[in-house]
Amino acid sequence: MEQASSADDFLIERIVSGDQDAWRLLIDRYAGRLLAFARARTSSLADAEDLVQEALVGFLQSVGNFDTSRSLETYLFTILRYKLYDLLRQKKVKVITEPPDAEGWWDHISPDTSETPSGLALQAEANRQQEGVLEDILRQLIRELRDRDAFNDLQVIELTFFGGRRNIDIADLLDMDQKAVAGIKYRAIQKLQKFLSQHDTDDLNCMDEANADVTVSRVWREQRLTCLKRSTLGSYLLGVLEEPWRSYTEFHLDVVACPMCVANLADLESEEDDRTPVDTERMFASSAGFLSKPH
Ligand SMILES: [Zn+2]
């Protein structure tokens, strides 16, 4: 599982304080996968590089407000995707094809962490706590399904919440009947409610009928609950990943078509055969001016 690491927290702390080495490190670590994402969507390498550049600057401009309980990688991809649509609207870049995730996929992930008006701050804090609880019980559910080798169930749940798919599409994608899909979903939601009742917590108002799907989707996507580690993707590329993980990886990449894991895989592939080495030095040079002055 991809999880916010304390290494990332430390890196961000140093970047906020204006540390150039930390900024260079972040670019070295993430520019490749961001460029792979941009490359798959824009018609030229130059456009893709401009886009990553803009996203890096956008990151520096908002990093002071970044909530470190969230995934840094998801945050970077979200800014990048936001910039892509910005430049598209201004007709400054051309897309090759409409990306598969264009519609709605990102809507549930907040595009920035810009400051909330003070009246909303308390509410935001309460929501974050509730989302923390929701994240815990979702992880519990995912773990339980894996421990039981219930990969089919997990696939249905992942397509529902992470993929945002409807029952009819899921039945089609997994070659199942719709009733079976609905049954698996029903049981999963019951289980989530059971886990929730074991938690010592106030009612989750983000889990009321109307918002449950949206909230679960947001948490699942933001925290990347079923995303693949770079090392897993590496093993997959080398063909040494064992079952059932190999099939599960293939499912996440091909059927769910997770835009972030697909970009990571493309980045690893280009590292392997030395295509378009990422010009991290240029990216550093054109963005470092936006770091705050060290103090
Ligand atoms: Zn993923």
Side-chain angles (χ1 to χ4, degrees):
M1 293 298 92
E2 196 75 46
Q3 282 189 44
S5 66
S6 54
D8 279 346
D9 288 0
F10 184 56
L11 193 62
I12 290 166
E13 215 174 279
R14 285 170 57 201
I15 291 169
V16 170
S17 72
D19 186 331
Q20 297 211 348
D21 293 339
W23 181 235
R24 197 187 296 274
L25 210 65
L26 181 139
I27 295 178
D28 281 344
R29 193 176 297 166
Y30 290 104
R33 58 194 87 168
L34 295 173
L35 190 65
F37 181 98
R39 269 308 263 150
R41 290 160 177 79
T42 51
S43 55
S44 73
L45 177 62
D47 274 0
E49 284 179 340
D50 285 351
L51 197 61
V52 173
Q53 205 91 280
E54 290 246 3
L56 291 172
V57 170
F59 173 77
L60 281 183
Q61 287 170 332
S62 65
V63 66
N65 299 319
F66 176 69
D67 170 2
T68 51
S69 69
R70 309 215 141 138
S71 148
L72 172 60
E73 185 184 40
T74 306
Y75 185 61
L76 287 165
F77 274 117
T78 309
I79 296 176
L80 180 64
R81 188 263 174 193
Y82 201 62
K83 293 285 176 195
L84 171 66
Y85 280 81
D86 234 24
L87 294 185
L88 267 182
R89 262 196 305 277
Q90 300 168 33
K91 300 201 181 354
K92 284 192 184 158
V93 293
K94 266 200 234 131
V95 280
I96 340 175
T97 49
E98 204 46 29
D101 50 290
E103 245 174 79
W105 202 89
W106 300 84
D107 293 355
H108 298 161
I109 311 184
S110 52
D112 63 46
T113 55
S114 59
E115 269 175 298
T116 328
S118 60
L120 293 173
L122 276 178
Q123 184 56 44
E125 176 56 31
N127 286 346
R128 250 198 303 283
Q129 277 179 11
Q130 293 189 342
E131 288 181 10
V133 173
L134 192 53
E135 181 189 339
D136 289 347
I137 63 174
L138 283 169
R139 286 193 191 280
Q140 200 175 343
L141 175 70
I142 291 164
R143 208 169 32 240
E144 202 218 71
L145 292 172
R146 283 185 175 153
D147 288 350
R148 284 201 282 124
D149 280 334
F151 284 94
N152 189 246
D153 290 19
L154 183 56
Q155 288 179 339
V156 168
I157 310 301
E158 181 170 343
L159 280 170
T160 302
F161 294 121
F162 187 80
R165 302 292 198 133
R166 296 175 306 156
N167 287 11
I168 183 169
D169 301 327
I170 296 172
D172 194 39
L173 285 166
L174 299 180
D175 198 19
M176 298 168 64
D177 87 40
Q178 272 195 66
K179 268 200 189 130
V181 170
I184 288 170
K185 262 166 79 169
Y186 177 76
R187 283 194 298 279
I189 289 167
Q190 275 194 320
K191 194 145 276 172
L192 284 175
Q193 273 159 355
K194 191 183 121 209
F195 292 155
L196 189 58
S197 69
Q198 294 161 350
H199 256 267
D200 181 25
T201 179
D202 296 335
D203 268 359
L204 290 192
N205 60 31
C206 63
M207 272 295 275
D208 64 30
E209 291 275 331
N211 296 322
D213 279 13
V214 171
T215 314
V216 172
S217 284
R218 183 173 61 242
V219 170
W220 199 308
R221 287 172 189 174
E222 217 163 50
Q223 302 296 342
R224 314 278 300 278
L225 296 181
T226 44
C227 278
L228 308 158
K229 284 187 193 158
R230 289 273 281 193
S231 55
T232 304
L233 288 168
S235 305
Y236 174 72
L237 262 186
L238 290 172
V240 296
L241 197 59
E242 287 179 20
E243 292 295 357
W245 301 108
R246 196 196 60 78
S247 301
Y248 186 73
T249 298
E250 219 152 55
F251 163 78
H252 189 73
L253 293 167
D254 298 341
V255 182
V256 182
C258 169
M260 294 179 270
C261 288
V262 168
N264 268 291
L265 184 73
D267 178 37
L268 287 170
E269 270 170 337
S270 73
E271 266 174 20
E272 241 185 17
D273 50 51
D274 247 9
R275 264 180 294 162
T276 53
V278 184
D279 192 350
T280 51
E281 205 36 57
R282 195 174 72 102
M283 289 183 182
F284 174 79
S286 62
S287 59
F290 291 87
L291 275 169
S292 61
K293 300 280 167 286
H295 43 245

